[in-house]
Amino acid sequence: MEPSLNVLGQRLQPCSTDPLTGFYRNGCCDTGPEDRGSHTICVVVTAEFLALSKYLGNDLSTPRPEYRFPGLKPGDRWCLCAARFLQAAEEFAAPRVVLEATHASATEIVPLELLRAHAADV
């Protein structure tokens, strides 16, 4: 199996192991046919994004121990669904993007220019 690539055409870098993220919970924004939500964009979450996500029905800030989910806080890195990122960008609440850790397939949903416009300084 060949390594996954990021949006820069390089080997995909890890997003976060604390909290542990990724569709496969391997710390990377890897994807595959099972990942219907395209959890491919590595973001640095903000308070604004967390508030929007909660308002839209996906509370990412409240811990859920039964799922081994600690809850996110501003500054945490997380593999975000591409469509949710696009929605947050349209609402002016998009979090910062770690391009090196964002899977190349994210550009099937979100234009690379938009990802670059929200790039985090890493």
Side-chain angles (χ1 to χ4, degrees):
M1 186 167 140
E2 293 191 27
S4 296
L5 298 178
N6 63 30
V7 294
L8 304 174
Q10 303 162 342
R11 185 181 199 123
L12 184 66
Q13 298 300 306
C15 182
S16 175
T17 56
D18 185 21
L20 187 58
T21 191
F23 179 78
Y24 298 108
R25 291 297 190 261
N26 63 359
C28 290
C29 297
D30 281 313
T31 191
E34 309 87 8
D35 182 14
R36 296 176 195 244
S38 185
H39 296 77
T40 53
I41 301 178
C42 181
V43 299
V44 180
V45 298
T46 61
E48 294 81 12
F49 170 75
L50 291 170
L52 175 67
S53 188
K54 186 173 185 177
Y55 173 78
L56 295 172
N58 188 16
D59 182 0
L60 296 172
S61 55
T62 300
R64 299 290 306 265
E66 66 273 26
Y67 299 114
R68 290 189 250 172
F69 178 68
L72 301 178
K73 61 188 180 315
D76 285 343
R77 288 185 178 198
W78 192 249
C79 291
L80 186 61
C81 293
R84 180 66 72 178
F85 175 84
L86 196 56
Q87 185 178 23
E90 291 168 353
E91 296 293 331
F92 304 101
R96 293 313 216 172
V97 176
V98 181
L99 297 172
E100 296 81 3
T102 295
H103 197 279
S105 68
T107 60
E108 295 170 9
I109 298 170
V110 180
L112 180 58
E113 298 77 28
L114 185 59
L115 294 171
R116 286 185 186 274
H118 289 87
D121 295 324
V122 290

